[in-house]
Coordinates of all heavy atoms in Angstrom, one line a residue:
M709 N 89.8 57.4 -17.4 CA 88.7 58.2 -17.7 C 87.4 57.4 -17.4 O 86.4 58.0 -17.1 CB 88.7 58.7 -19.1 CG 89.7 59.8 -19.2 SD 89.7 60.6 -20.8 CE 90.7 59.6 -21.8
R710 N 87.4 56.1 -17.6 CA 86.2 55.3 -17.4 C 85.8 55.4 -15.9 O 84.6 55.4 -15.6 CB 86.4 53.8 -17.8 CG 86.7 53.7 -19.2 CD 85.4 53.7 -20.0 NE 85.7 53.5 -21.4 CZ 84.9 53.9 -22.4 NH1 83.8 54.5 -22.1 NH2 85.2 53.8 -23.6
H711 N 86.7 55.4 -15.0 CA 86.4 55.5 -13.6 C 85.8 56.9 -13.3 O 84.8 56.9 -12.5 CB 87.7 55.4 -12.7 CG 88.3 54.0 -12.8 ND1 87.6 52.9 -12.4 CD2 89.5 53.6 -13.2 CE1 88.4 51.8 -12.6 NE2 89.6 52.3 -13.0
V712 N 86.2 57.9 -13.9 CA 85.6 59.2 -13.8 C 84.1 59.2 -14.2 O 83.2 59.7 -13.5 CB 86.4 60.3 -14.5 CG1 85.6 61.6 -14.5 CG2 87.8 60.5 -14.0
I713 N 83.9 58.6 -15.4 CA 82.5 58.5 -15.9 C 81.6 57.7 -14.9 O 80.5 58.1 -14.6 CB 82.5 57.8 -17.3 CG1 83.1 58.7 -18.3 CG2 81.0 57.5 -17.7 CD1 83.4 58.1 -19.6
L714 N 82.1 56.6 -14.4 CA 81.4 55.8 -13.4 C 81.1 56.6 -12.1 O 80.0 56.5 -11.6 CB 82.1 54.5 -13.1 CG 82.2 53.5 -14.2 CD1 83.2 52.4 -13.8 CD2 80.9 53.0 -14.6
E715 N 82.1 57.3 -11.6 CA 81.9 58.1 -10.4 C 80.9 59.3 -10.6 O 80.1 59.5 -9.8 CB 83.3 58.5 -9.9 CG 83.2 59.1 -8.5 CD 82.7 58.1 -7.4 OE1 82.9 56.9 -7.6 OE2 82.1 58.5 -6.4
V716 N 81.1 60.0 -11.7 CA 80.2 61.1 -12.0 C 78.7 60.5 -12.2 O 77.8 61.1 -11.7 CB 80.6 61.9 -13.3 CG1 79.5 62.8 -13.7 CG2 81.9 62.6 -13.0
A717 N 78.6 59.4 -12.8 CA 77.3 58.8 -12.9 C 76.7 58.5 -11.6 O 75.5 58.8 -11.3 CB 77.4 57.5 -13.8
R718 N 77.5 57.9 -10.7 CA 77.0 57.6 -9.3 C 76.6 58.8 -8.6 O 75.5 58.8 -8.0 CB 78.1 56.9 -8.6 CG 77.7 56.3 -7.2 CD 78.8 55.7 -6.5 NE 79.8 56.7 -5.9 CZ 79.5 57.5 -4.9 NH1 78.4 57.4 -4.3 NH2 80.5 58.3 -4.5
V719 N 77.3 59.9 -8.7 CA 77.1 61.1 -7.9 C 75.9 61.9 -8.5 O 75.0 62.4 -7.8 CB 78.3 62.0 -7.9 CG1 78.0 63.4 -7.4 CG2 79.4 61.4 -7.1
S720 N 75.8 61.9 -9.9 CA 74.8 62.7 -10.5 C 73.4 62.0 -10.8 O 72.4 62.6 -11.1 CB 75.3 63.2 -11.9 OG 75.5 62.1 -12.7
G721 N 73.4 60.7 -10.6 CA 72.2 59.9 -10.8 C 71.8 59.6 -12.2 O 70.7 59.2 -12.5
V722 N 72.8 59.7 -13.1 CA 72.6 59.2 -14.5 C 73.5 58.0 -14.7 O 74.4 57.8 -14.0 CB 72.8 60.3 -15.5 CG1 71.9 61.5 -15.3 CG2 74.3 60.8 -15.4
T723 N 73.2 57.3 -15.8 CA 74.0 56.1 -16.0 C 75.2 56.5 -16.9 O 75.2 57.5 -17.6 CB 73.2 55.0 -16.8 OG1 72.9 55.5 -18.1 CG2 71.9 54.7 -16.1
P724 N 76.3 55.6 -16.8 CA 77.4 55.9 -17.7 C 77.0 56.0 -19.2 O 77.6 56.8 -19.9 CB 78.4 54.7 -17.4 CG 78.0 54.3 -16.0 CD 76.5 54.5 -15.9
E725 N 76.1 55.1 -19.6 CA 75.6 55.1 -21.0 C 75.0 56.5 -21.3 O 75.1 56.9 -22.5 CB 74.7 54.0 -21.2 CG 75.3 52.6 -21.1 CD 75.5 52.1 -19.7 OE1 74.9 52.7 -18.7 OE2 76.4 51.2 -19.5
Q726 N 74.3 57.1 -20.4 CA 73.6 58.3 -20.6 C 74.7 59.5 -20.7 O 74.5 60.4 -21.5 CB 72.6 58.7 -19.5 CG 71.4 57.8 -19.6 CD 70.5 57.9 -18.4 OE1 71.0 58.2 -17.3 NE2 69.2 57.6 -18.6
I727 N 75.8 59.3 -19.9 CA 76.8 60.3 -20.0 C 77.5 60.3 -21.3 O 77.8 61.4 -21.9 CB 77.8 60.1 -18.8 CG1 77.2 60.5 -17.5 CG2 79.1 60.9 -19.1 CD1 78.0 60.2 -16.3
T728 N 77.8 59.1 -21.9 CA 78.5 59.0 -23.1 C 77.5 59.0 -24.3 O 78.0 59.0 -25.5 CB 79.4 57.8 -23.2 OG1 78.6 56.6 -23.0 CG2 80.5 57.9 -22.1
G729 N 76.2 58.9 -24.1 CA 75.3 58.9 -25.1 C 74.9 60.2 -25.8 O 75.5 61.2 -25.4
P730 N 74.0 60.2 -26.7 CA 73.7 61.4 -27.5 C 72.7 62.4 -26.8 O 72.4 63.4 -27.4 CB 73.1 60.8 -28.8 CG 72.4 59.6 -28.3 CD 73.3 59.0 -27.2
S731 N 72.1 62.0 -25.7 CA 71.1 62.8 -25.1 C 71.5 64.3 -24.8 O 72.6 64.5 -24.4 CB 70.6 62.2 -23.8 OG 69.6 63.1 -23.2
R732 N 70.6 65.2 -25.0 CA 70.8 66.6 -24.7 C 70.0 67.0 -23.5 O 69.9 68.2 -23.2 CB 70.5 67.5 -25.9 CG 71.4 67.3 -27.1 CD 71.1 68.3 -28.1 NE 72.1 68.2 -29.2 CZ 72.1 69.0 -30.3 NH1 71.2 69.9 -30.4 NH2 73.0 68.8 -31.2
Q733 N 69.5 66.1 -22.8 CA 68.7 66.4 -21.6 C 69.7 67.1 -20.6 O 70.8 66.7 -20.4 CB 68.1 65.1 -20.9 CG 67.3 65.4 -19.7 CD 66.7 64.1 -19.2 OE1 67.4 63.0 -19.3 NE2 65.6 64.2 -18.6
R734 N 69.2 68.1 -19.9 CA 70.1 69.0 -19.1 C 70.9 68.2 -18.1 O 72.1 68.5 -17.9 CB 69.2 70.1 -18.4 CG 70.0 71.1 -17.7 CD 69.2 72.1 -17.0 NE 68.4 72.8 -18.1 CZ 68.5 74.1 -18.3 NH1 69.3 74.9 -17.5 NH2 67.8 74.7 -19.2
S735 N 70.3 67.3 -17.3 CA 71.0 66.6 -16.3 C 72.1 65.8 -16.9 O 73.2 65.6 -16.3 CB 70.0 65.8 -15.5 OG 69.4 64.8 -16.3
R736 N 71.9 65.2 -18.0 CA 72.9 64.3 -18.7 C 74.0 65.2 -19.3 O 75.2 64.8 -19.1 CB 72.2 63.5 -19.7 CG 71.2 62.5 -19.1 CD 70.4 61.8 -20.2 NE 69.4 60.9 -19.5 CZ 68.5 60.3 -20.2 NH1 68.5 60.3 -21.5 NH2 67.6 59.6 -19.6
V737 N 73.7 66.3 -19.9 CA 74.7 67.2 -20.4 C 75.5 67.7 -19.3 O 76.8 67.8 -19.4 CB 74.0 68.3 -21.2 CG1 75.1 69.4 -21.6 CG2 73.4 67.8 -22.5
R738 N 74.9 68.1 -18.2 CA 75.7 68.7 -17.1 C 76.7 67.6 -16.5 O 77.8 67.9 -16.3 CB 74.7 69.1 -16.0 CG 75.4 69.7 -14.8 CD 74.3 70.5 -14.0 NE 74.7 70.7 -12.6 CZ 75.7 71.5 -12.2 NH1 76.5 72.1 -13.1 NH2 76.0 71.7 -10.9
A739 N 76.2 66.4 -16.4 CA 77.1 65.3 -15.9 C 78.2 65.0 -16.9 O 79.3 64.8 -16.5 CB 76.2 64.0 -15.6
R740 N 77.8 65.0 -18.2 CA 78.8 64.7 -19.2 C 79.9 65.8 -19.2 O 81.1 65.5 -19.3 CB 78.1 64.7 -20.6 CG 79.0 64.5 -21.8 CD 78.2 64.5 -23.1 NE 77.1 63.6 -23.0 CZ 75.9 63.9 -23.3 NH1 75.6 65.1 -23.7 NH2 74.9 63.0 -23.3
Q741 N 79.5 67.1 -19.2 CA 80.5 68.2 -19.2 C 81.3 68.2 -17.9 O 82.5 68.5 -18.0 CB 79.8 69.5 -19.4 CG 79.2 69.6 -20.8 CD 78.4 70.9 -21.1 OE1 78.0 71.6 -20.1 NE2 78.3 71.2 -22.3
M742 N 80.8 67.8 -16.8 CA 81.5 67.8 -15.5 C 82.6 66.7 -15.7 O 83.7 66.9 -15.3 CB 80.6 67.5 -14.4 CG 81.3 67.3 -13.0 SD 81.8 68.8 -12.2 CE 80.2 69.5 -11.8
A743 N 82.2 65.5 -16.2 CA 83.1 64.4 -16.4 C 84.2 64.8 -17.3 O 85.4 64.5 -17.1 CB 82.4 63.2 -16.9
M744 N 83.9 65.5 -18.4 CA 84.9 65.9 -19.4 C 85.9 66.9 -18.7 O 87.1 66.7 -19.0 CB 84.2 66.6 -20.6 CG 83.5 65.7 -21.5 SD 82.8 66.7 -22.8 CE 81.9 65.5 -23.8
L745 N 85.4 67.8 -17.9 CA 86.3 68.7 -17.3 C 87.2 68.0 -16.3 O 88.4 68.3 -16.2 CB 85.5 69.8 -16.6 CG 86.3 70.9 -15.9 CD1 87.3 71.6 -16.8 CD2 85.4 71.9 -15.2
I746 N 86.7 67.1 -15.5 CA 87.5 66.3 -14.6 C 88.6 65.6 -15.4 O 89.8 65.6 -15.0 CB 86.7 65.3 -13.8 CG1 85.8 66.1 -12.8 CG2 87.6 64.4 -13.0 CD1 84.7 65.3 -12.2
C747 N 88.2 64.9 -16.5 CA 89.2 64.2 -17.3 C 90.3 65.2 -17.8 O 91.5 64.8 -17.9 CB 88.5 63.5 -18.5 SG 87.5 62.1 -17.9
H748 N 89.9 66.3 -18.2 CA 90.8 67.3 -18.8 C 91.8 67.8 -17.7 O 93.0 67.9 -17.9 CB 90.1 68.4 -19.5 CG 90.9 69.4 -20.2 ND1 91.7 69.0 -21.3 CD2 91.2 70.7 -20.0 CE1 92.3 70.1 -21.8 NE2 92.0 71.1 -21.0
E749 N 91.2 68.2 -16.6 CA 92.0 68.8 -15.5 C 92.8 67.8 -14.7 O 94.0 68.1 -14.3 CB 91.2 69.7 -14.6 CG 90.7 70.9 -15.3 CD 90.0 71.9 -14.3 OE1 89.8 71.5 -13.1 OE2 89.6 73.0 -14.7
Y750 N 92.2 66.7 -14.3 CA 92.9 65.8 -13.4 C 93.5 64.6 -14.1 O 94.5 64.0 -13.6 CB 91.9 65.3 -12.4 CG 91.4 66.4 -11.5 CD1 90.2 67.0 -11.7 CD2 92.2 66.8 -10.4 CE1 89.7 68.0 -10.8 CE2 91.8 67.8 -9.6 CZ 90.5 68.4 -9.8 OH 90.1 69.4 -9.0
C751 N 93.0 64.1 -15.2 CA 93.7 63.0 -16.0 C 94.7 63.5 -16.9 O 95.4 62.7 -17.5 CB 92.6 62.2 -16.8 SG 91.4 61.4 -15.8
Q752 N 94.7 64.9 -17.1 CA 95.7 65.5 -18.1 C 95.4 64.9 -19.5 O 96.4 64.8 -20.3 CB 97.1 65.3 -17.7 CG 97.4 65.7 -16.2 CD 97.3 67.1 -16.0 OE1 97.9 67.9 -16.7 NE2 96.5 67.5 -15.1
A753 N 94.2 64.5 -19.8 CA 93.9 63.9 -21.1 C 93.7 65.0 -22.1 O 93.2 66.1 -21.8 CB 92.6 63.1 -21.0
S754 N 94.1 64.8 -23.4 CA 93.9 65.7 -24.4 C 92.4 65.7 -24.9 O 91.7 64.8 -24.6 CB 94.8 65.4 -25.6 OG 94.3 64.2 -26.2
L755 N 92.0 66.8 -25.6 CA 90.7 66.9 -26.0 C 90.3 65.7 -27.0 O 89.2 65.1 -26.8 CB 90.4 68.2 -26.7 CG 90.6 69.4 -25.8 CD1 90.4 70.7 -26.6 CD2 89.7 69.4 -24.6
P756 N 91.2 65.3 -27.9 CA 90.9 64.2 -28.8 C 90.7 62.9 -28.0 O 89.8 62.0 -28.3 CB 92.0 64.1 -29.8 CG 92.5 65.5 -29.8 CD 92.4 66.0 -28.4
E757 N 91.6 62.7 -27.0 CA 91.5 61.5 -26.1 C 90.1 61.4 -25.4 O 89.4 60.4 -25.4 CB 92.6 61.4 -25.1 CG 93.9 61.1 -25.7 CD 95.0 61.3 -24.6 OE1 95.0 62.2 -23.7 OE2 96.0 60.6 -24.8
I758 N 89.7 62.6 -24.8 CA 88.4 62.6 -24.1 C 87.3 62.4 -25.1 O 86.4 61.7 -24.8 CB 88.3 64.0 -23.4 CG1 89.4 64.2 -22.3 CG2 86.9 64.2 -22.9 CD1 89.5 65.6 -21.8
G759 N 87.4 63.0 -26.3 CA 86.4 62.8 -27.3 C 86.2 61.4 -27.7 O 85.0 60.9 -27.9
R760 N 87.3 60.6 -27.8 CA 87.1 59.2 -28.2 C 86.4 58.4 -27.1 O 85.5 57.6 -27.4 CB 88.5 58.6 -28.4 CG 89.1 58.9 -29.7 CD 90.3 58.1 -30.1 NE 91.5 58.5 -29.3 CZ 92.3 59.5 -29.5 NH1 92.0 60.3 -30.6 NH2 93.3 59.8 -28.8
V761 N 86.6 58.7 -25.8 CA 86.0 58.0 -24.7 C 84.5 58.4 -24.6 O 83.6 57.6 -24.3 CB 86.7 58.3 -23.4 CG1 85.9 57.8 -22.2 CG2 88.1 57.7 -23.4
F762 N 84.2 59.7 -24.9 CA 82.8 60.2 -24.7 C 82.0 60.2 -26.1 O 80.9 60.7 -26.1 CB 82.9 61.7 -24.2 CG 83.2 61.7 -22.7 CD1 84.5 61.7 -22.3 CD2 82.1 61.9 -21.8 CE1 84.8 61.8 -20.9 CE2 82.4 61.9 -20.5 CZ 83.7 61.9 -20.0
N763 N 82.6 59.6 -27.1 CA 82.0 59.6 -28.4 C 81.7 61.0 -29.0 O 80.6 61.2 -29.5 CB 80.7 58.7 -28.4 CG 81.0 57.3 -27.9 OD1 81.9 56.7 -28.3 ND2 80.2 56.9 -26.9
R764 N 82.6 61.9 -28.8 CA 82.4 63.3 -29.3 C 83.7 63.7 -30.0 O 84.8 63.2 -29.9 CB 82.3 64.2 -28.1 CG 81.1 63.9 -27.1 CD 79.8 64.3 -27.8 NE 78.6 64.2 -26.9 CZ 78.0 63.0 -26.5 NH1 78.5 61.9 -26.9 NH2 77.0 63.1 -25.8
D765 N 83.5 64.7 -30.9 CA 84.6 65.4 -31.6 C 85.3 66.3 -30.6 O 84.7 66.7 -29.6 CB 83.9 66.3 -32.7 CG 85.0 66.9 -33.5 OD1 85.6 66.3 -34.4 OD2 85.2 68.1 -33.3
H766 N 86.6 66.5 -30.8 CA 87.4 67.3 -29.9 C 86.9 68.7 -29.7 O 87.0 69.3 -28.6 CB 88.9 67.3 -30.3 CG 89.2 68.2 -31.4 ND1 88.9 67.9 -32.7 CD2 89.6 69.5 -31.4 CE1 89.3 68.9 -33.5 NE2 89.7 69.9 -32.7
S767 N 86.3 69.2 -30.7 CA 85.7 70.6 -30.6 C 84.5 70.6 -29.7 O 84.3 71.6 -29.0 CB 85.4 71.2 -32.0 OG 84.4 70.4 -32.6
T768 N 83.7 69.6 -29.7 CA 82.6 69.5 -28.8 C 83.1 69.4 -27.4 O 82.5 70.0 -26.5 CB 81.7 68.2 -29.2 OG1 81.3 68.3 -30.5 CG2 80.5 68.1 -28.3
V769 N 84.1 68.6 -27.2 CA 84.7 68.5 -25.8 C 85.2 69.8 -25.4 O 85.0 70.2 -24.2 CB 85.9 67.4 -25.8 CG1 86.6 67.4 -24.5 CG2 85.4 66.1 -26.2
K770 N 85.9 70.6 -26.2 CA 86.4 71.9 -25.9 C 85.3 72.8 -25.5 O 85.4 73.5 -24.5 CB 87.2 72.5 -27.0 CG 87.8 73.9 -26.7 CD 88.7 74.4 -27.7 CE 89.2 75.8 -27.5 NZ 89.1 76.4 -26.1
H771 N 84.2 72.8 -26.2 CA 83.0 73.6 -25.9 C 82.5 73.2 -24.5 O 82.2 74.1 -23.7 CB 82.0 73.5 -27.0 CG 80.7 74.2 -26.6 ND1 80.5 75.5 -26.7 CD2 79.5 73.7 -26.1 CE1 79.3 75.9 -26.3 NE2 78.7 74.8 -25.9
G772 N 82.4 71.9 -24.3 CA 81.8 71.5 -23.0 C 82.7 71.9 -21.8 O 82.3 72.3 -20.8
V773 N 84.0 71.7 -22.0 CA 85.0 72.1 -20.9 C 85.0 73.6 -20.7 O 84.9 74.0 -19.5 CB 86.4 71.6 -21.3 CG1 87.5 72.3 -20.4 CG2 86.5 70.1 -21.2
D774 N 85.0 74.4 -21.7 CA 85.0 75.8 -21.6 C 83.7 76.3 -20.9 O 83.7 77.2 -20.1 CB 85.1 76.5 -22.9 CG 86.5 76.4 -23.5 OD1 87.5 75.9 -22.8 OD2 86.7 76.6 -24.7
R775 N 82.6 75.7 -21.4 CA 81.3 76.1 -20.8 C 81.1 75.8 -19.3 O 80.6 76.5 -18.6 CB 80.2 75.4 -21.6 CG 78.8 75.7 -21.3 CD 78.4 76.9 -22.1 NE 77.0 77.0 -22.0 CZ 76.3 78.1 -22.3 NH1 76.9 79.1 -22.8 NH2 75.0 78.1 -22.1
T776 N 81.7 74.6 -19.0 CA 81.6 74.2 -17.6 C 82.5 75.1 -16.7 O 82.1 75.5 -15.6 CB 82.0 72.7 -17.4 OG1 81.2 71.9 -18.3 CG2 81.9 72.2 -16.0
K777 N 83.7 75.5 -17.2 CA 84.5 76.4 -16.5 C 83.9 77.7 -16.2 O 84.1 78.3 -15.2 CB 85.8 76.6 -17.3 CG 86.8 75.5 -17.2 CD 88.1 75.8 -17.9 CE 89.1 74.7 -17.9 NZ 90.3 75.0 -18.6
E778 N 83.0 78.2 -17.2 CA 82.3 79.5 -17.0 C 81.3 79.4 -15.9 O 81.0 80.4 -15.2 CB 81.6 79.8 -18.3 CG 82.5 80.2 -19.5 CD 81.7 80.4 -20.8 OE1 80.5 80.3 -20.8 OE2 82.4 80.6 -21.8
R779 N 80.6 78.3 -15.8 CA 79.5 78.1 -14.9 C 79.8 77.5 -13.5 O 78.9 77.4 -12.7 CB 78.4 77.3 -15.6 CG 77.8 77.8 -16.8 CD 76.7 76.9 -17.2 NE 76.3 77.3 -18.5 CZ 75.4 76.6 -19.2 NH1 74.9 75.5 -18.7 NH2 75.0 77.0 -20.4
I780 N 81.0 77.0 -13.4 CA 81.3 76.2 -12.2 C 81.1 77.0 -10.9 O 81.5 78.2 -10.8 CB 82.7 75.6 -12.3 CG1 82.8 74.4 -11.4 CG2 83.8 76.6 -12.1 CD1 83.9 73.4 -11.7
T781 N 80.5 76.4 -9.9 CA 80.4 77.0 -8.6 C 81.4 76.4 -7.6 O 81.9 75.3 -7.9 CB 78.9 76.7 -8.1 OG1 78.8 75.3 -7.8 CG2 77.9 77.2 -9.0
P782 N 81.6 77.0 -6.5 CA 82.5 76.4 -5.5 C 82.0 75.0 -5.1 O 82.9 74.1 -4.9 CB 82.5 77.4 -4.3 CG 82.2 78.7 -5.0 CD 81.2 78.4 -6.1
A783 N 80.7 74.8 -5.0 CA 80.2 73.5 -4.6 C 80.6 72.4 -5.7 O 80.9 71.3 -5.4 CB 78.7 73.5 -4.4
D784 N 80.4 72.9 -7.0 CA 80.7 72.0 -8.1 C 82.2 71.7 -8.1 O 82.6 70.5 -8.3 CB 80.4 72.6 -9.4 CG 78.9 72.8 -9.7 OD1 78.2 72.0 -9.1 OD2 78.6 73.7 -10.5
R785 N 83.1 72.7 -7.8 CA 84.5 72.5 -7.8 C 84.9 71.5 -6.7 O 85.7 70.6 -6.8 CB 85.2 73.8 -7.6 CG 86.7 73.8 -7.5 CD 87.4 73.2 -8.7 NE 87.3 74.1 -9.8 CZ 87.8 73.8 -11.0 NH1 88.5 72.7 -11.2 NH2 87.7 74.6 -12.1
N786 N 84.2 71.6 -5.5 CA 84.4 70.6 -4.4 C 84.0 69.2 -4.8 O 84.7 68.3 -4.5 CB 83.6 71.1 -3.2 CG 84.0 70.4 -2.0 OD1 85.2 70.1 -1.7 ND2 83.0 70.0 -1.2
D787 N 82.8 69.1 -5.5 CA 82.4 67.8 -6.0 C 83.4 67.2 -6.9 O 83.7 66.0 -6.9 CB 81.0 67.9 -6.7 CG 79.9 68.2 -5.7 OD1 80.1 68.0 -4.5 OD2 78.8 68.6 -6.2
M788 N 84.0 68.0 -7.8 CA 85.0 67.5 -8.8 C 86.2 67.0 -8.1 O 86.7 66.0 -8.4 CB 85.4 68.7 -9.7 CG 84.4 69.0 -10.8 SD 84.8 70.4 -11.8 CE 86.5 70.0 -12.3
K789 N 86.7 67.7 -7.0 CA 87.8 67.3 -6.3 C 87.5 66.0 -5.6 O 88.4 65.1 -5.6 CB 88.2 68.4 -5.3 CG 88.9 69.5 -5.9 CD 89.4 70.5 -4.9 CE 90.1 71.7 -5.5 NZ 90.5 72.7 -4.5
N790 N 86.3 65.8 -5.0 CA 86.0 64.6 -4.4 C 85.9 63.4 -5.3 O 86.4 62.3 -5.0 CB 84.7 64.7 -3.6 CG 84.8 65.6 -2.4 OD1 85.8 65.7 -1.8 ND2 83.7 66.3 -2.0
I791 N 85.4 63.7 -6.5 CA 85.4 62.6 -7.5 C 86.8 62.2 -8.0 O 87.1 61.0 -8.0 CB 84.5 63.1 -8.7 CG1 83.0 63.1 -8.3 CG2 84.7 62.1 -9.9 CD1 82.1 63.8 -9.3
A792 N 87.6 63.2 -8.2 CA 89.0 63.0 -8.6 C 89.7 62.2 -7.5 O 90.5 61.3 -7.8 CB 89.7 64.3 -8.9
R793 N 89.5 62.6 -6.3 CA 90.1 61.9 -5.1 C 89.7 60.4 -5.1 O 90.5 59.5 -4.9 CB 89.7 62.6 -3.8 CG 90.6 62.3 -2.7 CD 90.3 63.2 -1.5 NE 90.7 64.6 -1.7 CZ 89.9 65.6 -1.8 NH1 88.6 65.5 -1.6 NH2 90.3 66.8 -2.0
R794 N 88.4 60.2 -5.3 CA 87.8 58.8 -5.2 C 88.4 57.9 -6.4 O 88.5 56.7 -6.3 CB 86.3 58.8 -5.2 CG 85.8 59.1 -3.8 CD 84.3 58.8 -3.8 NE 83.5 59.6 -4.6 CZ 82.9 60.8 -4.3 NH1 83.2 61.3 -3.1 NH2 82.2 61.5 -5.2
C795 N 88.7 58.6 -7.5 CA 89.2 57.9 -8.7 C 90.8 57.8 -8.6 O 91.4 57.2 -9.5 CB 88.9 58.7 -9.9 SG 87.1 58.6 -10.3
G796 N 91.4 58.3 -7.5 CA 92.8 58.2 -7.4 C 93.6 59.2 -8.2 O 94.8 59.0 -8.4
L797 N 92.9 60.2 -8.6 CA 93.6 61.2 -9.5 C 94.1 62.4 -8.7 O 94.9 63.2 -9.2 CB 92.6 61.8 -10.5 CG 92.0 60.7 -11.4 CD1 90.9 61.3 -12.3 CD2 93.1 60.1 -12.3
L798 N 93.7 62.5 -7.4 CA 94.1 63.7 -6.6 C 94.5 63.2 -5.2 O 93.7 62.5 -4.5 CB 92.9 64.7 -6.4 CG 93.1 65.9 -5.6 CD1 94.2 66.8 -6.3 CD2 91.9 66.7 -5.5
I799 N 95.7 63.4 -4.9 CA 96.2 63.0 -3.6 C 96.7 64.2 -2.9 O 97.5 64.9 -3.3 CB 97.4 62.0 -3.8 CG1 96.9 60.8 -4.6 CG2 98.0 61.6 -2.4 CD1 98.0 59.9 -5.0
E800 N 96.0 64.5 -1.7 CA 96.4 65.6 -0.9 C 97.0 65.3 0.4 O 96.8 64.3 1.0 CB 95.2 66.5 -0.8 CG 94.7 67.1 -2.1 CD 93.5 68.0 -1.9 OE1 92.5 67.6 -1.3 OE2 93.5 69.1 -2.4

């Protein structure tokens, strides 16, 4: 999951500390929720496991994952696949 955070940070232009930090700034929240969804879908990580890595409660992780699934665009989905591929989570 740490590799996912680093890769999402690189792609989104925020730091890993900002992704796991308390900020509610839109760009940081978007990157954080995208990283959480990647961890959930591609790492097969449980919500409590993700919560520990992101310094969040499992219910907050669930909200972020659900919210991101509602808003995801085809371009976002493609970005997620590319990030998962670069992290070695997706082999096609």
Side-chain angles (χ1 to χ4, degrees):
M709 285 190 273
R710 296 281 179 204
H711 293 301
V712 171
I713 292 170
L714 292 172
E715 192 61 30
V716 170
R718 188 183 70 75
V719 169
S720 64
V722 298
T723 67
E725 293 79 19
Q726 291 169 332
I727 289 176
T728 59
S731 175
R732 291 186 175 183
Q733 184 180 29
R734 186 179 300 238
S735 61
R736 295 173 186 176
V737 170
R738 183 164 161 63
R740 180 181 305 130
Q741 290 177 341
M742 177 79 69
M744 287 178 181
L745 181 58
I746 293 168
C747 290
H748 187 63
E749 289 188 354
Y750 295 100
C751 296
Q752 309 295 305
S754 70
L755 299 177
E757 289 171 327
I758 296 169
R760 282 190 289 277
V761 172
F762 284 83
N763 304 311
R764 302 288 187 284
D765 184 76
H766 77 279
S767 61
T768 304
V769 174
K770 180 169 177 18
H771 174 76
V773 166
D774 292 345
R775 186 85 167 164
T776 304
K777 284 181 180 179
E778 291 172 6
R779 296 185 190 174
I780 199 161
T781 66
D784 291 335
R785 179 60 70 181
N786 190 45
D787 289 345
M788 286 176 52
K789 285 183 180 178
N790 287 333
I791 290 168
R793 201 174 285 117
R794 285 193 293 272
C795 292
L797 302 171
L798 181 65
I799 302 168
E800 294 181 310

